[in-house]
Amino acid sequence: MARLPRLIVPHQPHHVIQTGANNQDVFLDAEDYQTFLGWLRTAAKTYKVAVHCYVLMPNHLHLLVTPTDDTGLGQMMQWVGRYYVPYFNQKYSRSGTLWNGRYKTSLIDADAYFMLCSRYIEFNPVRNGMVARAEDYPWSSYCHHAGIRPDGLVTDHAKVWELGNTPFQREAAYSALSQPTLSAEEITLIGKSLLKGWPLGSQQFQTALQNKVKRQVLPAKRGRPFKIKL
């Protein structure tokens, strides 16, 4: 099925992925990671996008963010690319595009899937065999959430604040929630929703979202025209 047009809803979390062209690496050394994160922090502040969770992998990146309007997320991603691509091309004596088209995003039902998406993102290096533990990977938000190292880029989501009344309680609870390994079904569900641009949430959430935005948010069933309930 074709991917639906990108859906951005203010004040809702969005899972974002951007990959290197032809799956090529877009971060080659520590300076590249640090430079990208610095520009991301500036752009997030400028365009009022809260970054709750992230991981930078050698050939792609994941973000879990909440924009305050329907244009800020796109402006943030465009701004970072406008600075990072020339930096990368000049440093490595290359030219042309760096990214595999535009970023992809999936709207997230925070109540049902926020913590699951956080684990999906921050444990990406573990699933890919790069490290044994999430805290051993320096280019993600896990160390911030686990209380190992504060990260000025991260804005904690309300679901994280619900984990405890003190920073220690929240950090301990977050670490405990992160221990179970995601099932193959959970990984497939999140990945498929992200690559197809489908919202990730309960049936109730999806129905309410579709009625709110007055547009199709999931692939229509064959033979049945899409209708909006007014």
Side-chain angles (χ1 to χ4, degrees):
M1 294 181 182
R3 186 163 56 92
L4 296 172
R6 185 180 292 132
L7 175 66
I8 306 295
V9 177
H11 309 296
Q12 289 285 339
H14 297 67
H15 183 182
V16 175
I17 186 173
Q18 187 151 38
T19 60
N22 299 316
N23 211 34
Q24 70 180 29
D25 286 351
V26 294
F27 306 108
L28 300 181
D29 61 21
E31 181 186 33
D32 295 343
Y33 289 98
Q34 292 165 350
T35 297
F36 185 92
L37 290 173
W39 278 324
L40 179 60
R41 182 177 180 178
T42 298
K45 182 177 181 180
T46 300
Y47 296 107
K48 297 179 174 58
V49 178
V51 179
H52 308 302
C53 179
Y54 71 86
V55 67
L56 305 186
M57 301 292 284
N59 63 357
H60 70 281
L61 62 97
H62 288 270
L63 307 173
L64 188 54
V65 302
T66 297
T68 56
D69 57 40
D70 57 4
T71 61
L73 176 54
Q75 291 173 321
M76 180 187 78
M77 298 300 290
Q78 185 179 48
W79 191 93
V80 174
R82 188 181 299 130
Y83 282 88
Y84 186 74
V85 174
Y87 153 85
F88 189 90
N89 284 351
Q90 181 177 14
K91 180 177 178 178
Y92 296 108
S93 301
R94 67 182 301 277
S95 61
T97 185
L98 181 61
W99 304 112
N100 184 27
R102 300 174 67 195
Y103 69 92
K104 297 178 177 66
T105 184
S106 171
L107 192 74
I108 303 298
D109 177 355
D111 289 337
Y113 286 101
F114 182 88
M115 297 305 299
L116 189 66
C117 282
S118 291
R119 291 165 57 205
Y120 177 94
I121 290 171
E122 293 175 342
F123 278 76
N124 203 326
V126 178
R127 288 197 304 278
N128 282 273
M130 300 179 67
V131 293
R133 305 178 305 169
E135 56 263 41
D136 295 331
Y137 193 74
W139 313 116
S140 86
S141 52
Y142 180 80
C143 286
H144 170 88
H145 289 127
I148 299 170
R149 182 178 62 251
D151 191 330
L153 171 60
V154 178
T155 299
D156 288 332
H157 190 270
K159 301 306 294 183
V160 174
W161 283 91
E162 291 175 6
L163 295 177
N165 294 323
T166 68
F168 177 79
Q169 289 176 335
R170 291 190 291 272
E171 292 156 4
Y174 193 95
S175 298
L177 282 173
S178 300
Q179 293 309 309
T181 303
L182 270 67
S183 69
E185 291 77 13
E186 290 171 331
I187 293 171
T188 298
L189 175 63
I190 295 173
K192 187 175 182 179
S193 297
L194 179 59
L195 295 179
K196 294 291 186 180
W198 300 339
L200 181 61
S202 65
Q203 184 62 53
Q204 181 180 6
F205 172 83
Q206 293 171 350
T207 300
L209 176 64
Q210 196 154 266
N211 290 333
K212 177 180 179 180
V213 300
K214 300 296 188 292
R215 55 164 277 192
Q216 182 182 347
V217 300
L218 290 170
K221 294 181 180 180
R222 290 184 178 181
R224 295 179 131 185
F226 169 68
K227 294 182 180 180
I228 296 176
K229 295 180 180 179
L230 299 177

